[in-house]
Amino acid sequence: MRVAFLGMGKMGRLMAARVLAGGHELTLWNRTPGRAGELVAAGAREAASVADAVADADVAVLMLYGPESAGDVMESVHVAAPAGLLVINATTVGPEAARELGRAASAAGLRYVDAPVVGTLGPAREGKLKILVGASELDLAAARPTLELFGDPERIVRVGDVGAGSALKLVVNLSLAAATAAIAETLALGTDLGLDRQVVLDELAGGFLGGILGYKRPMIESGDFTPPAFTVEALAKDVRLAIRATPRPLGIAQAVLDLTGQAADRGHGEADFSAIADLPPLDAAASPTTGTADPARRPYSTQA
């Protein structure tokens, strides 16, 4: 199988490595060249352009930053791809963008599978990602051999037609954001009330926040949020997509954006998303009586 892999970020490189390890012919492309030298050294070919990458591919996999980058790349795919090319978009783009990309791909004579992944660097390295698929049963069957190279075969879930996978991905990531924000505020409250931080963490670990604390507690305890599995800025991007996807006001999502903005202002934009739990101590900007910060002091708007 000839696979074109478009996007060599941290996740993309690990997922592409699984394709190469599966014995397939791999062609790579990234907007900034030279990001996957280890894969080229192992036998992959680096293409000079998207058109070059997909020209003779059987499957193209996209793992990019968001809907804008995916849309730009897909325009180039449409021009150069062979008829019937199977496009698997693992980028988190939101449901409406996924449907638009799917319609455009179909008009260009291509097959399109909406397949955002759930999981971070560890599962990607091991080929154990969960994949939320929006596609016809026929297109999923065609994509499954590729998806199983980097996804857990038992966790490749067809959610519905194109757009459904991206919709569920936003739901999943908003739940992750909300849980992390809850840790941030409960830890801050415990500190403000004079409680020992370890005592608070122990109590939270035994409750409904225990799942996320189970793997983020070392970072939260140490204050070292590197290396990131999923960055603060990436979390903020996905929360904005969730807000744009519905006319319903999402108050918790807006609060998360405030926390991500504060974290970025402290230099944590490229740190692991758990850095939003590292709230600074109370200062003159907040009253311990009311718990309300001066709105003029907030460095980031909560608007999407």
Side-chain angles (χ1 to χ4, degrees):
M1 181 166 54
R2 297 186 298 271
V3 179
F5 210 105
L6 311 177
M8 289 288 104
K10 292 177 181 177
M11 288 287 289
R13 291 198 298 274
L14 292 172
M15 292 163 65
R18 301 292 305 183
V19 174
L20 193 61
H24 300 284
E25 186 178 329
L26 179 65
T27 300
L28 311 173
W29 174 86
N30 194 64
R31 193 178 304 276
T32 303
R35 292 284 297 276
E38 72 281 6
L39 295 180
V40 173
R45 180 178 76 88
E46 183 167 18
S49 65
V50 173
D52 177 24
V54 303
D56 63 350
D58 300 311
V59 180
V61 181
L62 281 68
M63 188 61 181
L64 302 162
Y65 186 71
E68 292 81 10
S69 57
D72 289 345
V73 168
M74 282 299 294
E75 287 182 5
S76 297
V77 171
H78 295 163
V79 171
L85 176 72
L86 180 64
V87 177
I88 297 172
N89 190 1
T91 312
T92 301
V93 297
E96 185 53 39
R99 288 189 286 267
E100 289 176 3
L101 291 168
R103 286 191 292 266
S106 180
L110 311 179
R111 291 178 293 171
Y112 183 90
V113 174
D114 168 33
V117 300
V118 177
T120 54
L121 302 182
R125 184 176 295 108
E126 297 167 4
K128 296 297 184 183
L129 291 165
K130 184 172 188 177
I131 305 177
L132 307 176
V133 178
S136 68
E137 294 278 10
L138 189 62
D139 285 345
L140 172 56
R144 185 173 283 277
T146 304
L147 296 175
E148 289 184 354
L149 294 171
F150 46 80
D152 182 342
E154 300 300 318
R155 301 175 75 225
I156 297 172
V157 180
R158 181 178 180 268
V159 183
D161 292 330
V162 170
S166 286
L168 186 55
K169 176 62 185 293
L170 294 189
V171 171
V172 169
N173 277 15
L174 182 56
S175 71
L176 174 69
T180 312
I183 291 171
E185 290 213 340
T186 50
L187 283 176
L189 177 62
T191 298
D192 296 347
L193 297 180
L195 295 172
D196 181 271
R197 188 175 175 86
Q198 292 302 313
V199 171
V200 175
L201 282 167
D202 287 344
E203 184 62 28
L204 294 179
F208 75 94
L209 295 175
I212 187 168
L213 272 176
Y215 72 107
K216 290 303 177 185
R217 183 169 178 171
M219 283 187 166
I220 293 171
E221 286 183 323
S222 68
D224 181 358
F225 300 99
T226 58
F230 183 52
T231 68
V232 167
E233 290 186 356
L235 180 67
K237 180 264 296 181
D238 288 357
V239 171
R240 289 189 185 95
L241 288 176
I243 290 170
R244 293 170 187 162
T246 176
R248 178 190 301 275
L250 298 178
I252 292 174
Q254 293 285 1
V256 170
L257 284 186
D258 188 45
L259 289 174
T260 59
Q262 292 177 43
D265 195 50
R266 298 193 300 275
H268 288 323
E270 290 298 322
D272 188 83
F273 73 93
S274 57
I276 70 173
D278 187 35
L279 291 177
L282 277 173
D283 60 18
S287 162
T289 302
T290 64
T292 303
D294 177 358
R297 293 288 300 270
R298 292 189 180 274
Y300 282 76
S301 167
T302 59
Q303 296 301 310

